[in-house]
Amino acid sequence: MNQPIALLLATPLLSALLILLLPNLKRHGIARLSVGLSALTFAIAVISLALYMFHPHPQWLSSGLAWGSLYLDPLTSVMTMAVTGISLVVHVYSVRYMAEEPGYARFYILLDLMTATILLMVSAGDLITLLVAWHLIGVLLYFLLGHDLVRPTAQRYAFWSLFTYRLGDLPLILASVLLYKAYGTFAIPTLFERIAENPDVQTVLGLPLTFAVAMLIALSAFARSAQFPLHTWLPYTMEGPTPVSALMHAGIVNAGGFIINRFAPVFVHAGLVLHIVFAVGMVTAIMGSVLMLTQNDIKKSLGYSTMGQMGFMFVECGVGAFSLAIYHLVAHGLFKGTLFLDAGSMIGNARKQDGVPHDDIYTFVVERKPVASRMPWVVAAAVTLVVPFLVLGVSRWLVAGDFIGQQGAVILLFFGWATGAQLLFATYRLRAENPWRLMAMIILSLIIVVFGYTVIEHAFNLFIYPDESLRNRIYAAASIPLGTFETLVAILTAAIVLGWIATYYATANGKQQSGNTSAARLAIYSLISREFYVSDVYAWLTQGILGLSQRMNVWLRWV
Amino acid sequence: MALTLAAAFFLPLFPLSIVFNGLLMRLSNPYARFALVLLWPQIGIAALSFTNQAIPEYMVIWAIISSGLYALRLLTVRDLGLWAGFLASSSLALTWGLAAHHTPVEMHLFAFWFSLPAALLTLLAGSLSRRFGAAYAGLYGGLASSMPRLSILLVITAFVAIATPPSPGFFAMLNLLQRLSLLAAIGVLAIWLLWSWAATKLMQGFVLGADRRHGLPDLGSAAILLYMGVLCVFVVTGLYITGDAL
């Protein structure tokens, strides 16, 4: 068996085992042991990735049993490095953060076991190992989120997470059973070879097998990555310790994107499922973003931000940009982990300085600074619409000249366009002494970021999916009829152009809203503030099921 | 047919399962309960192995409905002994899913993988009853603070009982799912979900919350070693037998 990958799994397990077997170890000893072995795990992951880059050939490593095999491919290599990196940061942060908490040893044991289990999931070489790891992550997360054994809310929300995760386990189990029945193997590489040879060997309830399996995997991914309406558990996971929230939002919740990538050879035969993934991701991204903007609690706001980001990750999968979803997953993991770990300092700073800017008169009279101004709105609107479009288009054309033929790439360009425009609009709203200079600097930054991002993303795509035909088949599966696509592009372009012009006009010429709020606005506000009543529906269903259970026990006299 | 019906008493199918659960309620000695949960299903499988007739398809449907009924009822059971009995009734009924394939060894093992953790739970119910007068979730709580050893054991045994990997029950469930039709497999998966819900609810009633009772002794070192040893042997044996049999 390949030494680095086997060591990678063994190191966090060894850490958990040593802490368990050494009950007299003091807190600083526990921390040193766990952080030291966590750093070693990260180093092994880096070596493993480096070795893979020198010898880029996927390896399937058998355990000698029907399960317990490992699969080392580009996806595994990248994911192990991301997971171990985030885990190391969380380990280090927890040393002081958890110092006053009871159950220090238990916390580090669970953290190490979680790291080992996630590593097992990303490197699983057969369906059984994948299922074992997939299932165990939910159980371990339950104990980590419920680390505070006394607080009822921590336990309640830990249970929400466990239940949603168990709900997500079931479709993956069913998909594995269907695949085994149809192809007679649990080994992932062999399975993919047989699927490629004969994709629709059977039908399930009249549907092609690959469609049914892809749909089940997508359902599993929806639950794991908090897609609407299975998202309610995610914003409340901050009831657990902050390092767990960071690990959760930076790593564990991304499992949905990973599982779709792992089963990419199935999804190339299930284009309709990719369209469903796109639609669910889009709805989740919008809902998550709306809910994020209406929160007054920074951690809950970050929770909904993760929901929105997960939605975007599924949108990327839905348009066939599978490797981009992995890139997004890693990048989101790093920045969201940082935000969570920094949330406490932010709250502390906000208590000292509210951050509200002074008005123009105060700035001019008291601070003796010139009054800030804005660019003319027509110019700003033109820059906002043209510059991001050009920058994105040119950067994409430089790395892949034929991108116009790829629907997924075009849709992603639209997202980039809207995001770039958002940045420039935010710049326009900032009053500055020299607004032209400010806008120029922001545009320069945008160019550097977009070009850097495009080059990295392109290299990442070539590394994760070196097989060009697979890349093209994924894009082809995600495509829709050309006429429909062109109509959608025209509508979207018109919406973006007219929408931004209207926004700029309203910002430049509009008046502040004041006075009575309309009934419709209040209705929308209450809908959002109640988080679209999704949790209420679940609470109502739960009460119904528990009531039925109780009535049956009473009727049947508890035997 | 008579033997098949007799087996339905021992691999408990509702309403014949009332006999098993009634007996379990009447027995006050934890060791007698342990023996009953462990041996009762094995008698049923032995009875089935004497039948030469094929098991009708409706028996499997009946078994899944019966298992689902007990899984649903499990959600609001708070007495640990009764909970173990209901879980055994729900899980052992699923043995009928293998009966159609005439695999007595697999059936014996399947029943054993589910009855042993349930039987251990009845022993733990006895330990709690001796200390508190009743093994009732929500009556006291916070055992994690006052009795950490008993709490850990309770949590691990309950999770093993609901077929959490790497317990043998997990692999046995995967093996069973392969033998069932798609609709039956969906039913079994829903039952599995209800077990998880019920186990979490039960654990929260016993283990979590503020410590409200002091001065009662935790499990002794010998007892915890014995229990953990049994569970470890159980899991390792299960991995060896079920893990490789898939």
Side-chain angles (χ1 to χ4, degrees):
Chain A
M1 185 172 276
N2 178 292
Q3 294 301 320
I5 191 82
L7 269 176
L8 198 63
L9 294 168
T11 314
L13 276 181
L14 177 71
S15 173
L17 197 65
L18 285 175
I19 297 170
L20 187 70
L21 295 175
L22 300 170
N24 295 325
L25 209 58
K26 300 274 187 244
R27 289 192 172 211
H28 67 269
I30 292 170
R32 276 184 193 167
L33 178 69
S34 191
V35 170
L37 287 175
S38 184
L40 179 63
T41 314
F42 178 62
I44 297 168
V46 173
I47 293 168
S48 181
L49 177 63
L51 286 176
Y52 189 86
M53 288 174 104
F54 280 115
H55 303 282
H57 302 293
Q59 293 175 59
W60 187 76
L61 312 158
S62 171
S63 67
L65 296 169
W67 69 287
S69 60
L70 302 175
Y71 186 43
L72 185 66
D73 68 345
L75 183 61
T76 307
S77 305
V78 169
M79 289 301 295
T80 50
M81 207 178 78
V83 169
T84 53
I86 291 166
S87 169
L88 175 61
V89 172
V90 170
H91 270 77
V92 172
Y93 183 85
S94 307
V95 173
R96 286 192 180 174
Y97 188 88
M98 300 300 289
E100 303 294 323
E101 298 282 327
Y104 199 70
R106 173 164 50 91
F107 178 79
Y108 270 103
I109 290 173
L110 287 170
L111 205 54
D112 286 329
L113 287 177
M114 179 60 97
T115 306
T117 310
I118 300 174
L119 289 173
L120 183 66
M121 178 190 79
V122 299
S123 58
D126 60 83
L127 297 175
I128 303 290
T129 309
L130 182 66
L131 290 177
V132 167
W134 193 257
H135 189 134
L136 272 179
I137 286 172
V139 176
L140 289 168
L141 184 65
Y142 169 71
F143 289 114
L144 274 169
L145 289 173
H147 180 76
D148 185 339
L149 300 170
V150 176
R151 204 150 43 96
T153 49
Q155 299 306 323
R156 188 188 311 138
Y157 298 126
F159 168 69
W160 280 21
S161 304
L162 177 71
F163 189 80
T164 314
Y165 271 44
R166 289 292 294 119
L167 202 63
D169 292 340
L170 308 181
L172 190 63
I173 293 174
L174 202 56
S176 303
V177 168
L178 289 174
L179 285 172
Y180 180 73
K181 276 185 174 179
Y183 297 104
T185 181
F186 283 119
I188 287 174
T190 316
L191 188 67
F192 290 161
E193 280 168 19
R194 291 183 190 173
I195 289 171
E197 285 164 13
N198 195 358
D200 290 322
V201 66
Q202 283 178 8
T203 55
V204 180
L205 301 175
L207 298 166
L209 178 78
T210 43
F211 173 85
V213 167
M215 196 62 233
L216 288 167
I217 292 167
L219 285 175
S220 204
F222 293 160
R224 194 52 64 108
S225 290
Q227 297 299 290
F228 184 82
L230 299 171
H231 65 279
T232 48
W233 59 277
L234 182 67
Y236 294 92
T237 49
M238 63 285 299
E239 287 295 332
T242 295
V244 179
S245 299
L247 184 68
M248 168 81 232
H249 287 258
I252 302 167
V253 75
N254 296 311
F258 164 77
I259 202 77
I260 290 180
N261 269 272
R262 174 54 81 215
F263 285 93
V266 176
F267 281 94
V268 296
H269 302 288
L272 182 57
V273 178
L274 288 177
H275 303 332
I276 295 169
V277 167
F278 176 83
V280 171
M282 182 66 97
V283 169
T284 307
I286 292 168
M287 292 232 169
S289 305
V290 167
L291 288 168
M292 177 193 74
L293 292 170
T294 52
Q295 301 304 312
N296 55 11
D297 173 328
I298 184 171
K299 287 177 83 181
K300 208 166 168 197
S301 179
L302 287 176
Y304 277 117
S305 152
T306 302
M307 179 186 162
Q309 293 290 335
M310 292 299 103
F312 282 122
M313 189 173 77
F314 276 75
V315 164
E316 286 154 2
C317 289
V319 298
F322 278 31
S323 65
L324 186 62
I326 294 293
Y327 183 51
H328 187 161
L329 176 163
V330 174
H332 171 254
L334 293 174
F335 85 74
K336 191 51 66 67
T338 311
L339 286 173
F340 259 103
L341 297 179
D342 208 29
S345 308
M346 286 289 290
I347 293 166
N349 289 338
R351 284 178 184 149
K352 290 175 196 158
Q353 165 62 259
D354 60 12
V356 177
H358 299 126
D359 64 14
D360 290 345
I361 297 173
Y362 182 90
T363 311
F364 185 69
V365 175
V366 180
E367 295 184 351
R368 294 179 179 278
K369 288 180 182 171
V371 174
S373 62
R374 285 175 176 163
M375 292 169 71
W377 76 267
V378 179
V379 178
V383 168
T384 298
L385 289 171
V386 174
V387 171
F389 184 82
L390 282 178
V391 172
L392 285 154
V394 171
S395 65
R396 175 57 59 177
W397 174 76
L398 285 174
V399 295
D402 60 341
F403 78 95
I404 296 294
Q406 293 178 342
Q407 293 183 5
V410 173
I411 291 170
L412 290 172
L413 281 182
F414 268 97
F415 277 100
W417 188 21
T419 311
Q422 177 71 43
L423 172 73
L424 298 185
F425 176 63
T427 310
Y428 165 72
R429 289 182 67 189
L430 285 176
R431 290 173 181 274
E433 278 179 51
N434 186 345
W436 297 94
R437 185 166 174 272
L438 179 67
M439 185 60 89
M441 297 305 284
I442 290 289
I443 289 171
L444 184 65
S445 309
L446 180 72
I447 291 169
I448 294 168
V449 168
V450 167
F451 274 83
Y453 179 87
T454 310
V455 169
I456 295 171
E457 185 269 318
H458 183 66
F460 201 75
N461 190 22
L462 296 180
F463 178 67
I464 298 270
Y465 289 102
D467 180 1
E468 192 183 353
S469 75
L470 180 60
R471 289 201 304 267
N472 292 336
R473 280 188 295 142
I474 293 172
Y475 272 118
S479 299
I480 55 175
L482 194 60
T484 314
F485 180 74
E486 285 173 350
T487 310
L488 284 173
V489 165
I491 293 170
L492 209 57
T493 307
I496 288 176
V497 171
L498 294 176
W500 278 118
I501 289 172
T503 305
Y504 270 96
Y505 180 78
T507 307
N509 304 307
K511 291 177 182 168
Q512 289 288 324
Q513 287 283 343
S514 60
N516 292 335
T517 308
S518 69
R521 276 171 176 258
L522 277 175
I524 292 169
Y525 177 75
S526 60
L527 187 68
I528 295 169
S529 67
R530 293 295 300 170
E531 297 165 8
F532 299 105
Y533 294 94
V534 178
S535 301
D536 300 82
V537 170
Y538 289 155
W540 177 74
L541 280 173
T542 306
Q543 292 304 324
I545 293 170
L546 291 177
L548 178 65
S549 168
Q550 197 144 27
R551 275 196 296 280
M552 292 190 91
N553 276 327
V554 171
W555 290 337
L556 298 169
R557 296 180 184 278
W558 302 91
V559 285
Chain B
M1 196 60 208
L3 269 174
T4 307
L5 270 179
F9 272 99
F10 295 98
L11 289 172
L13 298 187
F14 185 81
L16 306 177
S17 53
I18 289 172
V19 177
F20 170 68
N21 285 299
L23 264 174
L24 201 65
M25 288 281 278
R26 283 184 189 282
L27 291 173
S28 55
N29 186 317
Y31 298 105
R33 284 179 160 197
F34 178 86
L36 180 75
V37 174
L38 207 57
L39 298 176
W40 188 264
Q42 302 299 338
I43 301 169
I45 297 164
L48 269 184
S49 61
F50 285 111
T51 59
N52 293 322
Q53 289 175 323
I55 302 296
E57 182 61 29
Y58 65 80
M59 289 298 288
V60 178
I61 297 168
W62 181 10
I64 290 172
I65 292 170
S66 176
S67 174
L69 177 73
Y70 275 100
L72 180 65
R73 293 177 62 191
L74 200 60
L75 292 173
T76 45
V77 173
R78 295 165 76 181
D79 180 279
L80 182 58
L82 190 61
W83 196 90
F86 275 25
L87 181 65
S89 301
S90 180
S91 55
L92 294 172
L94 297 178
T95 317
W96 288 92
L98 296 172
H101 299 273
H102 299 287
T103 49
V105 176
E106 270 186 42
M107 287 173 70
H108 279 294
L109 282 172
F110 185 92
F112 179 69
W113 303 136
F114 282 100
S115 54
L116 182 72
L120 285 174
L121 282 175
T122 62
L123 287 184
L124 290 174
S127 296
L128 284 168
S129 295
R130 270 200 304 281
R131 286 166 174 81
F132 295 96
Y136 206 73
L139 186 62
Y140 31 88
L143 286 185
S145 316
S146 57
M147 297 182 187
R149 289 174 176 175
L150 188 59
S151 302
I152 289 171
L153 199 59
L154 194 60
V155 169
I156 292 176
T157 314
F159 273 91
V160 168
I162 58 163
T164 305
S167 76
F170 176 80
F171 298 99
M173 286 294 275
L174 292 184
N175 190 25
L176 171 71
L177 288 167
Q178 287 174 47
R179 312 290 180 91
L180 297 174
S181 66
L182 181 67
L183 289 178
I186 291 170
V188 171
L189 288 172
I191 290 165
W192 203 352
L193 182 68
L194 289 175
W195 292 350
S196 303
W197 183 357
T200 319
K201 221 167 159 283
L202 187 84
M203 288 307 101
Q204 290 186 341
F206 278 112
V207 175
L208 308 170
D211 178 18
R212 283 181 282 171
R213 188 73 65 108
H214 296 286
L216 290 166
D218 198 356
L219 277 185
S221 301
I224 189 87
L225 279 175
L226 183 66
Y227 272 115
M228 292 306 276
V230 168
L231 281 173
C232 283
V233 171
F234 178 68
V235 169
V236 172
T237 312
L239 283 178
Y240 181 73
I241 297 174
T242 55
D244 207 26
L246 285 163

